[in-house]
Amino acid sequence: MNKERFKSILLGFLIILNFVLGSRILIEKKLWPTGYNFFSNIGNLRISKLYENIVSYFTDGNQYEIQVLNPEKILLNTGDQTTRISLSPNDNSFEEIMSETNEILKTAFSMPSEMFTEIDKEDLYSALSVESVYLSYARKYSINLFEEFLGADTDGQTKLSENEFADIVISYSANGSKCNVYMADFDTDNYYGIGINYNSDKLRDLCDESVKKNGSEGENVINYSFDLKFDQPFGSQKTTLNPLIQVYSTTSEMPVIKAVNPIMKDEENVNETIIDNILNIFNINASTMRRYAEAGGTLVFVENNATLKIDKNGYLEYTAMDDGMELSNASGSEYSDIINLNSITSKINKALGNNEAMCLTQSDDKTIINYDYMVTGTRVVINTDNISSGVSAKVENGHLLSYKQLMRHYSIKSETSSPSEFFEALDNAIARYSEFMNEININKMFIGYNDNGIVGDKYANWIVEVDNVIVGE
Amino acid sequence: MFKKFLSIMFIAVALMAVMPISGYAFGNTVSLYETGTSSNIIYIKRPESHSASTSDKTYTISAVGEQGTKIKVYRYNPSSGVCELIKNETYIGASGLYSVVVDLTSDSNIFMVTAESGKGSQAVRIDIDKIKKSTIDRLKNVTVTIRNFIW
């Protein structure tokens, strides 16, 4: 190769590099420290979006994950209480077992709805007393959502369309050729089951291996509340537990985590790059918006059709006017709304540099979609004046009406702490009501991190969800 | 005479005050035939009939009672002929719920769960037999309905 040809190739390479880097500066970076970007409109052009999509395709990877259909917990039932184990998303075998159970659920939900049989609660309990897998979800899913997330061949499942399920049990037959799938809707007291032809050898092997590896040899015995009859009131018994609450005989050490507010560069200054990225995500035009700071230091960005507030504690609140922000490829279904919201939350988390997973959690309002942060497979329960979950968004007919997030990064510390014992936590929770209560029903109990909005160390402890308290006589 | 009468009265009152407490304080061992002074301080929820069979290495006993009730668990030792303390005192909390995991060390295990409160004392005998897993599986096939769906 002669020298001239080499020079031409080098020149060509430098010209291409010039365009690539130049476009990045124009589209992604601000030119002035106040956040005003003369070229910000370029970022809204279709070709720029295409460029962003190509870049994100190559750079996103699996940096963090929003778990749309992951159980919060998987329990492997062996037929004995001593060897029963609980897996969190952080355990090695969790992913493999979940992938196999999803295949089983996909097969079950592809069956005609007439095949689903209404069963008694006791049938479900029996299934939990033999070799089986219990999938406990952090929120309830309709049959349609299960079908769409799993990619099942749906027939509408009209028979079960009124119900939502957060508790699913899969039991397998001794000869390995069949599986039973049980679904529980405790709110409506409806239970369904279906038998399917599915080779359960793989699931059995995965479960056996996991029990061998993770079994505590009786050090931590797990009973369901129904095993101990704590779900049934008797005489003067004031407390009842949801039948599937797991009563642990002991608790194990958990890592201490540290909550960091990623929006603050230091005590005084916010990270303008993150703010720019967030404005882009909500399609707020930096050249036409109005920006001001409220007395408490909250930054307010006002555009004709939306307001975005970011306070110094990391609380983000987006409120759209009129019809709200149209989400891409929105079909108006709950599934499409969740997928679209995932995209927005993923972009925000990416802008924050977060690697934590998030999971969908329960909401009483159909139009509200909630997520919680997950750290080392454990849920972080947010409890502040502004927000009671990591993310809470209102989506209607494919339009985002509001979006709230407590922006956090959680780092795992080397020190550990031990959550209190099950009954100590339960007694402490109930003691708050005991003066005026007559009856109390505990809906859910699980170990999680409680974030009250103040940055710093967080210790794992029991989260007790009270279902209803009956006051007086 | 009056002084003597006063002294006797004082001793009698003191004894009456102490008796209910000393009368139902369970120590490190209890007799297999101990029943206590009351029968409604705790209610054993599992095993409901106060006896059960299992192939498991452990068994979880559950009970409900009033807040503040003191619970102790003893295991019968055939060689000494008495029940020896295996789980030291625990107090039932605001939930009113209590459970304890006991190891099943022999084929026939006898436990005594004792409860003490202002109402008196109670001792409940619980028998747990350990049987082979194959026997349990056979029994389950007969007694427990593992749902058979139409395949």
Side-chain angles (χ1 to χ4, degrees):
Chain A
M1 194 197 299
N2 61 35
K3 199 175 169 185
E4 288 305 314
R5 197 165 173 197
F6 174 74
K7 275 183 177 174
S8 304
I9 291 170
L10 186 65
L11 186 65
F13 173 73
L14 288 172
I15 290 169
I16 292 167
L17 195 65
N18 169 57
F19 279 111
V20 170
L21 294 177
S23 65
R24 286 199 65 180
I25 288 168
L26 293 177
I27 293 166
E28 294 176 7
K29 308 287 176 191
K30 64 182 183 296
L31 299 181
W32 288 278
T34 53
Y36 174 70
N37 187 348
F38 180 76
F39 295 101
S40 65
N41 282 337
I42 293 173
N44 294 328
L45 295 176
R46 191 169 287 177
I47 193 156
S48 303
K49 295 281 181 199
L50 184 69
Y51 166 76
E52 278 175 23
N53 288 341
I54 292 167
V55 170
S56 66
Y57 177 81
F58 289 107
T59 56
D60 270 2
N62 284 325
Q63 194 189 5
Y64 57 87
E65 182 191 4
I66 292 189
Q67 301 172 346
V68 283
L69 196 68
N70 289 18
E72 188 178 16
K73 208 187 295 177
I74 294 178
L75 270 99
L76 305 182
N77 302 300
T78 58
D80 289 335
Q81 273 112 357
T82 309
T83 48
R84 180 183 283 154
I85 63 163
S86 168
L87 300 174
S88 76
N90 209 37
D91 289 302
N92 292 332
S93 44
F94 188 95
E95 199 76 33
E96 273 185 303
I97 291 174
M98 186 186 72
S99 153
E100 187 59 13
T101 53
N102 277 352
E103 281 303 314
I104 294 171
L105 293 182
K106 187 177 167 182
T107 309
F109 292 137
S110 298
M111 304 289 279
S113 55
E114 309 86 69
M115 294 288 284
F116 286 82
T117 313
E118 206 161 330
I119 58 168
D120 294 330
K121 208 192 294 188
E122 283 66 31
D123 295 325
L124 180 83
Y125 299 166
S126 296
L128 289 160
S129 307
V130 295
E131 286 189 321
S132 60
V133 179
Y134 166 43
L135 308 167
S136 170
Y137 295 90
R139 66 159 275 168
K140 291 182 180 180
Y141 293 87
S142 64
I143 284 293
N144 287 343
L145 270 183
F146 268 116
E147 286 169 350
E148 288 184 279
F149 280 127
L150 294 165
D153 298 329
T154 171
D155 76 333
Q157 297 293 359
T158 47
K159 191 173 177 181
L160 312 175
S161 60
E162 296 296 311
N163 299 105
E164 290 188 314
F165 306 98
D167 304 285
I168 291 190
V169 180
I170 298 171
S171 68
Y172 31 88
S173 64
N175 63 13
S177 62
K178 292 177 171 77
C179 287
N180 281 352
V181 177
Y182 304 80
M183 296 166 294
D185 182 350
F186 284 100
D187 283 350
T188 59
D189 211 23
N190 281 317
Y191 310 91
Y192 293 93
I194 186 168
I196 53 165
N197 289 317
Y198 189 96
N199 190 332
S200 59
D201 288 345
K202 189 179 174 191
L203 181 64
R204 179 192 296 274
D205 290 346
L206 286 170
C207 293
D208 287 351
E209 200 181 315
S210 185
V211 168
K212 255 185 223 162
K213 217 182 282 174
N214 301 304
S216 66
E217 287 298 319
E219 277 174 30
N220 188 8
V221 177
I222 305 170
N223 282 283
Y224 293 105
S225 158
F226 76 82
D227 282 329
L228 306 177
K229 312 268 190 296
F230 287 156
D231 59 324
Q232 300 161 16
F234 174 83
S236 58
Q237 180 186 336
K238 290 180 175 180
T239 310
T240 50
L241 308 182
N242 178 299
L244 298 191
I245 285 181
Q246 296 102 54
V247 181
Y248 291 80
S249 66
T250 183
T251 50
S252 36
E253 294 275 313
M254 301 276 291
V256 176
I257 61 167
K258 187 179 180 186
V260 178
N261 174 8
I263 206 77
M264 297 303 289
K265 223 193 283 187
D266 49 53
E267 276 189 15
E268 288 300 314
N269 300 303
V270 293
N271 189 324
E272 290 290 348
T273 312
I274 292 179
I275 288 180
D276 275 359
N277 288 336
I278 291 172
L279 289 173
N280 264 335
I281 292 163
F282 288 105
N283 293 336
I284 293 180
N285 193 329
S287 58
T288 55
M289 65 158 193
R290 195 158 59 86
R291 170 181 170 149
Y292 62 91
E294 284 180 344
T298 302
L299 295 173
V300 184
F301 306 89
V302 186
E303 235 196 3
N304 288 338
N305 52 3
T307 305
L308 181 80
K309 290 183 179 183
I310 297 176
D311 79 6
K312 290 201 163 185
N313 191 34
Y315 173 64
L316 176 154
E317 186 173 341
Y318 168 85
T319 314
M321 310 296 166
D322 306 325
D323 291 340
M325 184 171 107
E326 191 177 355
L327 299 169
S328 55
N329 305 319
S331 69
S333 72
E334 196 180 359
Y335 170 77
S336 143
D337 289 345
I338 290 172
I339 294 293
N340 278 312
L341 190 67
N342 279 355
S343 164
I344 291 174
T345 306
S346 297
K347 283 178 186 168
I348 292 173
N349 284 348
K350 190 183 166 194
L352 300 174
N354 273 353
N355 337 321
E356 289 88 6
M358 288 192 118
C359 70
L360 272 171
T361 55
Q362 191 60 35
S363 158
D364 294 333
D365 184 341
K366 280 266 181 202
T367 61
I368 305 277
I369 299 168
N370 291 337
Y371 296 111
D372 269 344
Y373 290 100
M374 297 279 283
V375 185
T376 65
T378 308
R379 237 167 98 181
V380 180
V381 176
I382 306 286
N383 187 14
T384 72
D385 292 341
N386 295 321
I387 189 166
S388 52
S389 51
V391 171
S392 183
K394 189 171 175 68
V395 185
E396 256 179 13
N397 303 321
H399 287 77
L400 180 70
L401 299 179
S402 72
Y403 183 96
K404 299 172 187 173
Q405 180 167 359
L406 185 69
M407 295 183 285
R408 280 289 175 272
H409 171 64
Y410 296 98
S411 58
I412 301 157
K413 298 184 76 174
S414 54
E415 63 183 291
T416 58
S417 71
S418 192
S420 53
E421 295 297 325
F422 180 89
F423 283 106
E424 191 186 337
L426 178 66
D427 291 337
N428 287 342
I430 289 173
R432 283 183 230 150
Y433 303 93
S434 57
E435 268 184 36
F436 57 86
M437 75 168 198
N438 197 34
E439 285 171 30
I440 190 165
N441 182 45
I442 305 297
N443 192 35
K444 209 167 182 182
M445 254 184 99
F446 59 95
I447 288 179
Y449 293 99
N450 207 333
D451 188 342
N452 55 1
I454 299 168
V455 293
D457 291 352
K458 305 288 170 198
Y459 300 87
N461 214 337
W462 287 95
I463 310 290
V464 183
E465 278 181 20
V466 176
D467 183 25
N468 58 40
V469 179
I470 298 171
V471 184
E473 295 302 312
Chain B
M1 184 65 190
F2 182 67
K3 275 185 182 173
K4 262 187 187 172
F5 176 74
L6 269 181
S7 305
I8 290 165
M9 285 299 288
F10 178 76
I11 290 165
V13 168
L15 275 174
M16 279 169 71
V18 173
M19 260 176 68
I21 299 165
S22 58
Y24 57 72
F26 296 110
N28 286 334
T29 58
V30 291
S31 157
L32 195 56
Y33 306 101
E34 178 68 61
T35 54
T37 60
S38 177
S39 61
N40 58 0
I41 296 172
I42 53 162
Y43 172 75
I44 301 290
K45 291 209 124 190
R46 184 178 194 252
E48 221 166 353
S49 58
H50 300 183
S51 67
S53 299
T54 178
S55 62
D56 210 345
K57 289 181 203 165
T58 64
Y59 191 86
T60 309
I61 297 166
S62 69
V64 288
E66 276 185 15
Q67 184 174 2
T69 304
K70 185 163 81 178
I71 308 273
K72 288 181 184 176
V73 182
Y74 300 79
R75 180 200 302 279
Y76 177 65
N77 183 348
S79 53
S80 65
V82 290
C83 302
E84 294 164 354
L85 184 69
I86 55 165
K87 301 278 178 187
N88 224 332
E89 58 191 44
T90 307
Y91 290 88
I92 291 182
S95 67
L97 308 180
Y98 171 82
S99 82
V100 62
V101 178
V102 288
D103 290 325
L104 303 178
T105 50
S106 58
D107 288 346
S108 182
N109 304 273
I110 302 171
F111 300 97
M112 290 290 277
V113 178
T114 66
E116 298 165 54
S117 75
K119 284 187 197 168
S121 69
Q122 185 183 356
V124 184
R125 175 180 161 158
I126 291 169
D127 291 66
I128 312 290
D129 290 334
K130 218 173 152 186
I131 52 175
K132 283 182 184 165
K133 193 162 173 50
S134 54
T135 316
I136 285 279
D137 290 342
R138 262 204 316 277
L139 282 170
K140 268 181 184 168
N141 282 336
V142 180
T143 58
V144 179
T145 319
I146 305 297
R147 185 84 189 193
N148 279 316
F149 296 102
I150 303 156
W151 301 102

